[in-house]
Amino acid sequence: MAPQPSELAFVPFVSVEHMMGLVHHIGIETVLRDLATAIEADFKRWELFDKTPRVASHSDVGVIELMPTSDGEMYGFKYVNGHPKNTRDGLQTVTAFGLLADVDTGYPKLLSEMTLLTALRTAATSAMAARHLAPRGAKCMAMIGNGAQSEFQCLAFKAICGITEVRLYDNDPAATAKCARNLAGLGLKVVPCTSGEQAMEGAQIITTCTADKQNATILTDNMIGAGVHINAIGGDCPGKTELHRDILLRADIFVEYPPQTWIEGEIQQLDQTHPITELWQVISGATKGRRDDKQITLFDSVGFAIEDFSALRYILGAIQGTGFYTQLDMLADPDDPRDLFGMLQRSNP
Amino acid sequence: MAPQPSELAFVPFVSVEHMMGLVHHIGIETVLRDLATAIEADFKRWELFDKTPRVASHSDVGVIELMPTSDGEMYGFKYVNGHPKNTRDGLQTVTAFGLLADVDTGYPKLLSEMTLLTALRTAATSAMAARHLAPRGAKCMAMIGNGAQSEFQCLAFKAICGITEVRLYDNDPAATAKCARNLAGLGLKVVPCTSGEQAMEGAQIITTCTADKQNATILTDNMIGAGVHINAIGGDCPGKTELHRDILLRADIFVEYPPQTWIEGEIQQLDQTHPITELWQVISGATKGRRDDKQITLFDSVGFAIEDFSALRYILGAIQGTGFYTQLDMLADPDDPRDLFGMLQRSNP
């Protein structure tokens, strides 16, 4: 009989089914709040992370990216694709998985689905940023783009920022209907709207999350009143933006990692001399976020590796003592590390 | 009851146990020959690959790397670590896994262990290169460094180049004894040696594969006679080399991907004006490999992403119709791609 793999050979794996089970076990709003806390803590120690713009492989129809980072103790990376045309074929625009490894040994410590986890961490990051940037006491959010991310955004702004009303708009009314249906009974006042303008009535926070891979103008300058916070998460690859350039010129702009955001964010429309602020500096207290109630703040979010790292570390902690993972026989672990060939030979039936 | 994941949610996963089973099912020498054929075919179409130096995260004790590439139809990457001190703690110096995805959709199509597969593909690449560079009719190889890769190298040179004798040397006699023991009965004359000089007696091919993360001098110039082929695979990260610089000055040097080899290979000891030849140009017939029987040829191999891509594609083909994989529920796949949140909600028990 072939020898059994040793314990060192196994990597905990969180499948989609286990991730869903874990989220329900903990409670989705608690997960969103915990993720915001974990991400905020890592933004506070931003400087010690090994940072690099994501490594992208572009094709005519989409992009596949690897997003690595390390805090010196753990190493993490995410695999993520972006294929806007996928939905036409019944596939996800974005799928993702991620890995954590021990820097000291290089051994993987967690493999996890991240399609769901990315939606959760993106929403948690948005709401965490808004806690520093949105007008005080904001209760109403316009949600422009009612696709796969939209309900997560709405719920995160409820759980983390105390939003009580969301006003939904999508150029496809079926998407708005789906979003409204999913949010029913979750404690938010949900108002489906038939135009972007209508959605923005009374909103102190405007979240844009649309998926077309092109320079679009979801928001024009005349739609934006003084004092609002814009959470722009859909402009996240080269040639894909959502806001009219004039809005950028009126707003104070906050970003995750400038070398990446200049390539992928709304600010790809600007000259690189334009002033921007790194969000981590606001969170660490080094600089101010919102200064007054007339200011337009813009979080030009493209998603950064550290957010995935924080999310994976949170999941690694959260699965301990639960059944929400399986063990994958992913690492060759011979008794004598130099005897890989002997391990192979001895496995011959 | 929670809905079952759809077929699209699953990614075939080849565990270590399944990889070992598959290799025995096909036969290790056949696998090595098949891999050499697959890698050679991809070297012939080298120019169409999306190439980038690997993305490395270095620490004091090792390195974690991501190695992506794409041929426009499939995308592949490997995760691999290198931690020479790991063996002291009973861990592998190198562990690895890899992924193939469909460029058109970004959906992963295969996840596989690659600790074993890397040893196999490295050996197949070495022997494939030697078929173009080693002296005709070479029958004897010196194997300097008898660690985890050594038996794979010896067997690949037997299966692919017709080597009949291997002469083993390692500064740890226990490693040599282990290598000799593992190779017994596999059709090679195996000669354990007590010095590098002794191992090189009569050898037309010299393979060096040692693991110290430092500039070492495994081979000095006076040890190298005219006409030999040197297969140097241990010098594979910054500050880690195995050959004395004088050998490089006498040899014709062949490399995989120059931007990576200048950083990681033996040639990090040379000025970047020094002439080198890209192996793919030899294989495609654009330039000559070995010209005469006095020439010293050196394959300064550091391993490149295309070799892993070839290996993963081979495995994806080889597992079809076999039981040597399982299906991982790795991708969220809601019925309506925009309804990720609804899928999560409906899974609530």
Side-chain angles (χ1 to χ4, degrees), chain A residues 266-297:
Chain A
E266 296 298 329
I267 58 172
Q268 61 187 286
Q269 303 181 69
L270 297 179
D271 190 278
Q272 292 202 11
T273 56
H274 192 91
I276 56 172
T277 303
E278 294 185 55
L279 182 63
W280 73 270
Q281 295 191 301
V282 176
I283 289 165
S284 71
T287 187
K288 225 169 151 54
R290 174 165 290 270
R291 287 186 319 272
D292 61 60
D293 57 7
K294 295 271 183 265
Q295 185 186 14
I296 297 171
T297 50

Side-chain angles (χ1 to χ4, degrees), chain A residues 186-241:
Chain A
L186 296 179
L188 279 166
K189 181 181 174 193
V190 179
V191 183
C193 301
T194 53
S195 72
E197 288 82 352
Q198 189 194 350
M200 273 178 269
E201 279 168 25
Q204 297 100 348
I205 298 174
I206 301 162
T207 291
T208 57
C209 184
T210 60
D212 277 333
K213 190 181 176 177
Q214 60 188 39
N215 290 312
T217 307
I218 310 301
L219 299 187
T220 53
D221 191 38
N222 62 328
M223 295 162 82
I224 304 299
V228 300
H229 173 62
I230 305 170
N231 172 44
I233 58 174
D236 63 356
C237 70
K240 180 164 179 284
T241 58

Side-chain angles (χ1 to χ4, degrees), chain A residues 16-17 24 79 81 83 85-86 92 101 103-107 172 178 182 329 334 337-339 344-345 347, chain B residues 16-17 24 79 81 83 85-86 92 101 103-107 172 178 182 329 334 337-339 344-345 347:
Chain A
V16 175
E17 200 168 342
H24 291 304
Y79 168 101
N81 75 296
H83 286 70
K85 60 102 195 161
N86 270 5
Q92 286 282 296
V103 167
D104 189 49
T105 63
Y107 270 49
D172 177 0
K178 175 233 36 162
N182 282 338
D329 164 28
R338 290 179 307 190
D339 199 12
L344 173 61
Q345 271 183 313
S347 76
Chain B
V16 175
E17 199 166 342
H24 291 304
Y79 168 102
N81 75 297
H83 286 70
K85 60 101 195 164
N86 269 5
Q92 286 283 297
V103 168
D104 189 49
T105 64
Y107 270 48
D172 178 0
K178 174 229 46 162
N182 283 337
D329 163 29
R338 291 179 307 190
D339 200 12
L344 173 61
Q345 271 183 313
S347 75

Side-chain angles (χ1 to χ4, degrees), chain A residues 9 11 77 99 105-108 329-333 340, chain B residues 13-16 19 54 63-67 77-82 86 92-99 111-119 121-122 149 308 312:
Chain A
V11 179
F77 83 88
L99 182 104
T105 63
Y107 270 49
D329 164 28
M330 199 162 134
L331 306 177
D333 183 56
L340 190 62
Chain B
F13 167 62
V14 180
S15 68
V16 175
M19 184 63 76
R54 49 188 149 207
V63 62
I64 296 175
E65 298 172 328
L66 299 175
M67 301 168 65
F77 83 88
K78 179 167 81 170
Y79 168 102
V80 60
N81 75 297
N86 269 5
Q92 286 283 297
T93 298
V94 171
T95 67
F97 71 92
L99 182 105
L111 180 73
S112 177
E113 87 79 32
M114 287 193 81
T115 309
L116 272 162
L117 189 57
T118 296
R121 77 85 161 127
T122 302
Q149 310 287 316
D308 301 309
L312 286 168

